[in-house]
Amino acid sequence: DAGVTQSPTHLIKTRGQQVTLRCSPKSGHDTVSWYQQALGQGPQFIFQYYEEEERQRGNFPDRFSGHQFPNYSSELNVNALLLGDSALYLCASSLLSGPRSRGYTFGSGTRLTVV
Amino acid sequence: AQTVTQSQPEMSVQEAETVTLSCTYDTSESDYYLFWYKQPPSRQMILVIRQEAYKQQNATENRFSVNFQKAAKSFSLKISDSQLGDAAMYFCAYRANAGGTSYGKLTFGQGTILTVHP
């Protein structure tokens, strides 16, 4: 039973560029959330997708956008990259109709470095 | 807005001994979940233990247990018989029981780095 898969594992981009990160949820899960984790900090919620729609959004600018596909996989897009966007981006999946106490299953993240 | 605070940036423990990590949170909700996650150098966030707010009994998972004080909004993690493999960053997290079309975002604390000495 595959867990959450994220790609790529590492990425280096230049300021002003655009980046797309990808996530495949755990088999059987239908909800995908994205988190940004700066070095030495706790993850910050970016947004959550269910049924191909954004259901919740954290305090992130519109430069951060996402998409969920019919197979439940998801993409995180960041436009006009800033140095401050350098972070570990974590994807987490869950089953909306499942026991609420279950929590999320996390991937190993994509380390984005903006130079 | 909900907040989660971990006041211990770093903790250390000798192998086989016991250590307690602290966490406090603030919320106006009455129905919520609390979690402890472990993040080793591999970066994957691993669920250690969960607590449902409406349950009085403290959760226990093998060597891991919590002290949940709802009135004080405190949620500490006790690790007994510490092992070298327990070394990691530990995060306390909160999630409201959102229901409906939202699973509810996780709000994390700043983390505590746990070092285990042989």
Side-chain angles (χ1 to χ4, degrees):
Chain A
D1 187 16
V4 177
T5 304
Q6 291 188 243
S7 63
T9 55
H10 296 84
L11 201 53
I12 299 175
K13 288 287 191 177
T14 303
R15 273 182 301 174
Q17 284 189 316
Q18 178 265 345
V19 68
T20 297
L21 310 182
R22 295 176 176 81
C23 172
S24 293
K26 181 179 178 179
S27 178
H29 284 183
D30 57 11
T31 301
V32 173
S33 299
W34 288 91
Y35 290 81
Q36 180 195 65
Q37 185 179 14
L39 194 61
Q41 301 294 316
Q44 298 291 315
F45 175 75
I46 303 175
F47 42 52
Q48 181 185 93
Y49 278 84
Y50 171 69
E51 289 188 334
E52 303 178 47
E53 290 187 16
E54 184 182 290
R55 300 291 178 168
Q56 270 194 306
R57 189 179 182 91
N59 188 25
F60 279 80
D62 292 344
R63 298 187 297 109
F64 289 77
S65 63
H67 188 78
Q68 186 179 35
F69 299 93
N71 67 353
Y72 308 118
S73 67
S74 176
E75 288 182 349
L76 164 65
N77 300 295
V78 186
N79 294 324
L81 284 167
L82 304 173
L83 295 180
D85 295 331
S86 296
L88 178 68
Y89 288 84
L90 294 168
C91 173
S93 71
S94 54
L95 178 63
L96 188 70
S97 61
R100 291 307 172 110
S101 62
R102 280 288 176 190
Y104 294 104
T105 299
F106 281 84
S108 296
T110 294
R111 171 71 67 190
L112 172 65
T113 302
V114 182
V115 297
Chain B
Q2 296 85 9
T3 59
V4 177
T5 303
Q6 294 177 248
S7 58
Q8 305 156 317
E10 297 183 34
M11 291 286 284
S12 64
V13 64
Q14 291 294 130
E15 197 175 5
E17 295 193 343
T18 296
V19 64
T20 298
L21 307 184
S22 300
C23 172
T24 58
Y25 61 96
D26 188 26
T27 183
S28 57
E29 303 282 344
S30 59
D31 188 9
Y32 52 88
Y33 299 95
L34 296 165
F35 304 88
W36 278 98
Y37 282 92
K38 169 186 176 181
Q39 188 177 41
S42 67
R43 309 181 321 199
Q44 185 176 18
M45 208 66 84
I46 301 166
L47 179 64
V48 174
I49 197 166
R50 65 176 71 89
Q51 175 78 42
E52 300 174 57
Y54 65 86
K55 288 188 175 179
Q56 300 280 355
Q57 187 173 5
N58 289 325
T60 300
E61 290 284 347
N62 301 314
R63 299 182 295 106
F64 299 88
S65 61
V66 298
N67 183 4
F68 174 47
Q69 301 290 326
K70 191 172 184 179
K73 295 179 180 172
S74 170
F75 182 61
S76 61
L77 173 70
K78 185 171 82 171
I79 306 174
S80 303
D81 187 24
S82 297
Q83 301 175 359
L84 295 177
D86 294 335
M89 176 82 100
Y90 285 80
F91 291 98
C92 177
Y94 163 99
R95 196 188 80 226
N97 186 13
T101 58
S102 172
Y103 200 78
K105 68 175 185 179
L106 282 167
T107 300
F108 287 87
Q110 305 93 318
T112 297
I113 299 172
L114 178 64
T115 301
V116 181
H117 298 289

Short mmCIF file of all heavy atoms in Angstrom, two decimals, chain A residues 59-100:
data_model
loop_
_atom_site.label_atom_id
_atom_site.label_comp_id
_atom_site.label_asym_id
_atom_site.label_seq_id
_atom_site.Cartn_x
_atom_site.Cartn_y
_atom_site.Cartn_z
N ASN A 59 -2.81 31.44 5.15
CA ASN A 59 -2.45 32.82 4.90
C ASN A 59 -1.26 32.90 3.92
O ASN A 59 -0.15 33.27 4.30
CB ASN A 59 -2.10 33.52 6.22
CG ASN A 59 -1.90 35.01 6.05
OD1 ASN A 59 -2.43 35.60 5.13
ND2 ASN A 59 -1.10 35.59 6.93
N PHE A 60 -1.51 32.53 2.70
CA PHE A 60 -0.50 32.56 1.65
C PHE A 60 -1.02 33.39 0.48
O PHE A 60 -2.21 33.38 0.18
CB PHE A 60 -0.16 31.14 1.17
CG PHE A 60 0.82 30.43 2.08
CD1 PHE A 60 0.38 29.83 3.26
CD2 PHE A 60 2.16 30.37 1.77
CE1 PHE A 60 1.27 29.21 4.11
CE2 PHE A 60 3.06 29.74 2.61
CZ PHE A 60 2.61 29.16 3.78
N PRO A 61 -0.11 34.10 -0.20
CA PRO A 61 -0.55 34.97 -1.31
C PRO A 61 -1.03 34.16 -2.51
O PRO A 61 -0.81 32.94 -2.60
CB PRO A 61 0.73 35.76 -1.65
CG PRO A 61 1.85 34.90 -1.17
CD PRO A 61 1.35 34.18 0.04
N ASP A 62 -1.64 34.86 -3.44
CA ASP A 62 -2.19 34.22 -4.63
C ASP A 62 -1.12 33.62 -5.54
O ASP A 62 -1.45 32.87 -6.47
CB ASP A 62 -3.02 35.23 -5.44
CG ASP A 62 -4.27 35.65 -4.70
OD1 ASP A 62 -4.64 34.93 -3.74
OD2 ASP A 62 -4.87 36.66 -5.08
N ARG A 63 0.13 33.95 -5.28
CA ARG A 63 1.21 33.32 -6.06
C ARG A 63 1.23 31.80 -5.85
O ARG A 63 1.78 31.06 -6.66
CB ARG A 63 2.58 33.87 -5.62
CG ARG A 63 2.78 35.34 -5.84
CD ARG A 63 4.23 35.74 -5.53
NE ARG A 63 4.61 35.52 -4.14
CZ ARG A 63 5.45 34.56 -3.73
NH1 ARG A 63 6.00 33.72 -4.61
NH2 ARG A 63 5.75 34.44 -2.45
N PHE A 64 0.64 31.39 -4.76
CA PHE A 64 0.55 29.96 -4.46
C PHE A 64 -0.82 29.47 -4.94
O PHE A 64 -1.87 29.97 -4.51
CB PHE A 64 0.66 29.71 -2.95
CG PHE A 64 2.04 29.93 -2.41
CD1 PHE A 64 2.51 31.22 -2.18
CD2 PHE A 64 2.87 28.86 -2.11
CE1 PHE A 64 3.78 31.44 -1.68
CE2 PHE A 64 4.14 29.06 -1.61
CZ PHE A 64 4.60 30.35 -1.40
N SER A 65 -0.79 28.52 -5.85
CA SER A 65 -2.04 27.96 -6.36
C SER A 65 -1.89 26.45 -6.46
O SER A 65 -0.78 25.91 -6.41
CB SER A 65 -2.39 28.56 -7.72
OG SER A 65 -1.39 28.22 -8.67
N GLY A 66 -3.03 25.79 -6.61
CA GLY A 66 -2.97 24.34 -6.66
C GLY A 66 -4.01 23.76 -7.57
O GLY A 66 -4.84 24.47 -8.16
N HIS A 67 -3.93 22.46 -7.65
CA HIS A 67 -4.90 21.75 -8.48
C HIS A 67 -4.98 20.32 -7.96
O HIS A 67 -3.99 19.77 -7.48
CB HIS A 67 -4.42 21.74 -9.94
CG HIS A 67 -5.43 21.21 -10.89
ND1 HIS A 67 -6.51 21.94 -11.32
CD2 HIS A 67 -5.54 19.99 -11.49
CE1 HIS A 67 -7.23 21.20 -12.15
NE2 HIS A 67 -6.67 20.02 -12.26
N GLN A 68 -6.17 19.75 -8.07
CA GLN A 68 -6.33 18.33 -7.77
C GLN A 68 -6.95 17.66 -8.98
O GLN A 68 -7.91 18.18 -9.56
CB GLN A 68 -7.21 18.09 -6.53
CG GLN A 68 -7.26 16.61 -6.14
CD GLN A 68 -8.11 16.35 -4.91
OE1 GLN A 68 -9.12 17.00 -4.68
NE2 GLN A 68 -7.71 15.36 -4.10
N PHE A 69 -6.43 16.52 -9.34
CA PHE A 69 -6.87 15.80 -10.52
C PHE A 69 -7.89 14.72 -10.14
O PHE A 69 -8.02 14.37 -8.96
CB PHE A 69 -5.66 15.18 -11.22
CG PHE A 69 -4.67 16.21 -11.68
CD1 PHE A 69 -3.59 16.56 -10.87
CD2 PHE A 69 -4.82 16.84 -12.89
CE1 PHE A 69 -2.68 17.52 -11.27
CE2 PHE A 69 -3.91 17.81 -13.31
CZ PHE A 69 -2.85 18.15 -12.49
N PRO A 70 -8.62 14.19 -11.14
CA PRO A 70 -9.63 13.16 -10.84
C PRO A 70 -9.08 11.94 -10.11
O PRO A 70 -9.81 11.26 -9.40
CB PRO A 70 -10.18 12.79 -12.22
CG PRO A 70 -9.99 14.03 -13.04
CD PRO A 70 -8.69 14.61 -12.55
N ASN A 71 -7.79 11.65 -10.28
CA ASN A 71 -7.20 10.51 -9.57
C ASN A 71 -6.71 10.90 -8.17
O ASN A 71 -6.00 10.12 -7.53
CB ASN A 71 -6.06 9.90 -10.39
CG ASN A 71 -4.87 10.83 -10.50
OD1 ASN A 71 -4.92 11.99 -10.08
ND2 ASN A 71 -3.79 10.33 -11.07
N TYR A 72 -7.08 12.08 -7.72
CA TYR A 72 -6.78 12.62 -6.38
C TYR A 72 -5.37 13.17 -6.23
O TYR A 72 -5.08 13.80 -5.21
CB TYR A 72 -7.04 11.61 -5.26
CG TYR A 72 -8.41 10.99 -5.31
CD1 TYR A 72 -8.57 9.62 -5.50
CD2 TYR A 72 -9.55 11.77 -5.18
CE1 TYR A 72 -9.83 9.05 -5.56
CE2 TYR A 72 -10.81 11.21 -5.25
CZ TYR A 72 -10.94 9.84 -5.44
OH TYR A 72 -12.19 9.28 -5.52
N SER A 73 -4.51 12.98 -7.21
CA SER A 73 -3.18 13.57 -7.12
C SER A 73 -3.30 15.09 -7.19
O SER A 73 -4.34 15.62 -7.59
CB SER A 73 -2.27 13.04 -8.23
OG SER A 73 -2.74 13.48 -9.49
N SER A 74 -2.23 15.76 -6.81
CA SER A 74 -2.32 17.21 -6.69
C SER A 74 -1.01 17.87 -7.11
O SER A 74 0.05 17.25 -7.09
CB SER A 74 -2.65 17.58 -5.23
OG SER A 74 -2.66 18.98 -5.04
N GLU A 75 -1.13 19.12 -7.51
CA GLU A 75 0.02 19.95 -7.82
C GLU A 75 -0.04 21.23 -7.01
O GLU A 75 -1.13 21.76 -6.75
CB GLU A 75 0.05 20.32 -9.31
CG GLU A 75 0.40 19.19 -10.23
CD GLU A 75 0.45 19.63 -11.67
OE1 GLU A 75 0.02 20.75 -11.99
OE2 GLU A 75 0.90 18.81 -12.51
N LEU A 76 1.14 21.70 -6.62
CA LEU A 76 1.29 23.01 -5.99
C LEU A 76 2.12 23.85 -6.94
O LEU A 76 3.21 23.44 -7.34
CB LEU A 76 1.98 22.88 -4.64
CG LEU A 76 2.56 24.16 -4.03
CD1 LEU A 76 1.45 25.14 -3.70
CD2 LEU A 76 3.37 23.83 -2.78
N ASN A 77 1.60 25.01 -7.32
CA ASN A 77 2.31 25.92 -8.20
C ASN A 77 2.65 27.20 -7.43
O ASN A 77 1.81 27.74 -6.71
CB ASN A 77 1.44 26.29 -9.41
CG ASN A 77 1.05 25.08 -10.22
OD1 ASN A 77 1.89 24.42 -10.82
ND2 ASN A 77 -0.23 24.74 -10.22
N VAL A 78 3.88 27.65 -7.61
CA VAL A 78 4.28 28.91 -7.02
C VAL A 78 4.86 29.78 -8.13
O VAL A 78 5.80 29.38 -8.82
CB VAL A 78 5.32 28.74 -5.90
CG1 VAL A 78 5.59 30.08 -5.22
CG2 VAL A 78 4.86 27.70 -4.89
N ASN A 79 4.27 30.96 -8.33
CA ASN A 79 4.73 31.90 -9.35
C ASN A 79 5.63 32.97 -8.74
O ASN A 79 5.58 33.23 -7.52
CB ASN A 79 3.53 32.57 -10.00
CG ASN A 79 2.69 31.59 -10.79
OD1 ASN A 79 3.20 30.67 -11.41
ND2 ASN A 79 1.38 31.77 -10.73
N ALA A 80 6.41 33.61 -9.60
CA ALA A 80 7.23 34.76 -9.19
C ALA A 80 7.98 34.45 -7.89
O ALA A 80 7.83 35.15 -6.88
CB ALA A 80 6.35 36.00 -9.03
N LEU A 81 8.78 33.40 -7.92
CA LEU A 81 9.46 32.92 -6.72
C LEU A 81 10.29 34.00 -6.04
O LEU A 81 10.98 34.81 -6.70
CB LEU A 81 10.35 31.74 -7.07
CG LEU A 81 9.63 30.41 -7.31
CD1 LEU A 81 10.57 29.41 -7.97
CD2 LEU A 81 9.07 29.86 -6.01
N LEU A 82 10.22 33.99 -4.71
CA LEU A 82 11.01 34.86 -3.86
C LEU A 82 12.00 34.02 -3.07
O LEU A 82 11.78 32.83 -2.86
CB LEU A 82 10.10 35.63 -2.89
CG LEU A 82 8.98 36.47 -3.50
CD1 LEU A 82 8.09 37.03 -2.39
CD2 LEU A 82 9.54 37.59 -4.35
N LEU A 83 13.07 34.67 -2.59
CA LEU A 83 14.04 33.93 -1.78
C LEU A 83 13.35 33.30 -0.57
O LEU A 83 13.71 32.20 -0.15
CB LEU A 83 15.15 34.86 -1.32
CG LEU A 83 16.05 35.44 -2.42
CD1 LEU A 83 17.11 36.35 -1.80
CD2 LEU A 83 16.71 34.34 -3.24
N GLY A 84 12.35 34.00 -0.02
CA GLY A 84 11.63 33.52 1.16
C GLY A 84 10.76 32.31 0.92
O GLY A 84 10.22 31.74 1.86
N ASP A 85 10.61 31.92 -0.35
CA ASP A 85 9.84 30.71 -0.66
C ASP A 85 10.68 29.46 -0.47
O ASP A 85 10.15 28.34 -0.56
CB ASP A 85 9.31 30.77 -2.09
CG ASP A 85 8.31 31.89 -2.31
OD1 ASP A 85 7.62 32.27 -1.34
OD2 ASP A 85 8.23 32.39 -3.45
N SER A 86 11.96 29.63 -0.22
CA SER A 86 12.82 28.47 0.02
C SER A 86 12.36 27.75 1.28
O SER A 86 12.27 28.35 2.36
CB SER A 86 14.28 28.92 0.21
OG SER A 86 14.78 29.50 -0.98
N ALA A 87 12.04 26.49 1.13
CA ALA A 87 11.46 25.73 2.25
C ALA A 87 11.28 24.29 1.82
O ALA A 87 11.48 23.93 0.66
CB ALA A 87 10.10 26.32 2.66
N LEU A 88 10.86 23.48 2.79
CA LEU A 88 10.42 22.11 2.52
C LEU A 88 8.91 22.16 2.33
O LEU A 88 8.19 22.70 3.19
CB LEU A 88 10.78 21.20 3.69
CG LEU A 88 10.35 19.74 3.59
CD1 LEU A 88 11.12 19.02 2.48
CD2 LEU A 88 10.57 19.02 4.93
N TYR A 89 8.43 21.63 1.23
CA TYR A 89 7.00 21.62 0.96
C TYR A 89 6.49 20.20 1.17
O TYR A 89 6.91 19.26 0.49
CB TYR A 89 6.71 22.13 -0.45
CG TYR A 89 6.93 23.61 -0.54
CD1 TYR A 89 8.21 24.12 -0.78
CD2 TYR A 89 5.90 24.50 -0.34
CE1 TYR A 89 8.44 25.49 -0.81
CE2 TYR A 89 6.11 25.88 -0.38
CZ TYR A 89 7.39 26.36 -0.62
OH TYR A 89 7.60 27.71 -0.65
N LEU A 90 5.57 20.08 2.12
CA LEU A 90 5.03 18.77 2.50
C LEU A 90 3.61 18.61 1.96
O LEU A 90 2.80 19.53 2.02
CB LEU A 90 5.01 18.63 4.01
CG LEU A 90 6.35 18.60 4.72
CD1 LEU A 90 6.18 18.75 6.22
CD2 LEU A 90 7.08 17.29 4.41
N CYS A 91 3.34 17.42 1.49
CA CYS A 91 2.00 17.05 1.06
C CYS A 91 1.47 16.04 2.08
O CYS A 91 2.21 15.16 2.55
CB CYS A 91 2.06 16.43 -0.33
SG CYS A 91 0.50 15.74 -0.91
N ALA A 92 0.20 16.18 2.42
CA ALA A 92 -0.42 15.25 3.36
C ALA A 92 -1.77 14.82 2.80
O ALA A 92 -2.52 15.65 2.26
CB ALA A 92 -0.61 15.91 4.72
N SER A 93 -2.09 13.55 2.93
CA SER A 93 -3.38 13.08 2.41
C SER A 93 -4.21 12.47 3.53
O SER A 93 -3.69 12.08 4.59
CB SER A 93 -3.17 12.06 1.29
OG SER A 93 -2.68 10.83 1.78
N SER A 94 -5.50 12.40 3.27
CA SER A 94 -6.44 11.84 4.25
C SER A 94 -7.69 11.41 3.50
O SER A 94 -7.87 11.71 2.33
CB SER A 94 -6.78 12.87 5.32
OG SER A 94 -7.24 14.06 4.72
N LEU A 95 -8.56 10.68 4.22
CA LEU A 95 -9.84 10.26 3.66
C LEU A 95 -10.92 11.05 4.36
O LEU A 95 -11.09 10.93 5.57
CB LEU A 95 -10.04 8.75 3.88
CG LEU A 95 -11.38 8.17 3.40
CD1 LEU A 95 -11.52 8.32 1.90
CD2 LEU A 95 -11.48 6.70 3.80
N LEU A 96 -11.62 11.89 3.60
CA LEU A 96 -12.58 12.80 4.21
C LEU A 96 -13.63 12.05 5.03
O LEU A 96 -14.02 12.49 6.10
CB LEU A 96 -13.27 13.65 3.14
CG LEU A 96 -14.15 14.78 3.69
CD1 LEU A 96 -13.28 15.85 4.33
CD2 LEU A 96 -15.01 15.38 2.60
N SER A 97 -14.09 10.92 4.51
CA SER A 97 -15.16 10.20 5.20
C SER A 97 -14.65 9.23 6.25
O SER A 97 -15.43 8.56 6.91
CB SER A 97 -16.00 9.43 4.17
OG SER A 97 -15.20 8.48 3.50
N GLY A 98 -13.34 9.16 6.39
CA GLY A 98 -12.75 8.25 7.35
C GLY A 98 -12.83 8.79 8.78
O GLY A 98 -13.27 9.92 8.99
N PRO A 99 -12.41 7.99 9.76
CA PRO A 99 -12.40 8.45 11.16
C PRO A 99 -11.60 9.74 11.30
O PRO A 99 -10.44 9.79 10.87
CB PRO A 99 -11.74 7.29 11.91
CG PRO A 99 -11.91 6.11 11.03
CD PRO A 99 -11.88 6.63 9.63
N ARG A 100 -12.19 10.75 11.90
CA ARG A 100 -11.54 12.05 11.99
C ARG A 100 -10.30 12.01 12.87
O ARG A 100 -9.45 12.88 12.78
CB ARG A 100 -12.52 13.11 12.50
CG ARG A 100 -13.63 13.44 11.51
CD ARG A 100 -13.04 13.79 10.15
NE ARG A 100 -14.03 13.92 9.12
CZ ARG A 100 -14.38 15.08 8.56
NH1 ARG A 100 -13.78 16.20 8.94
NH2 ARG A 100 -15.29 15.12 7.63
#
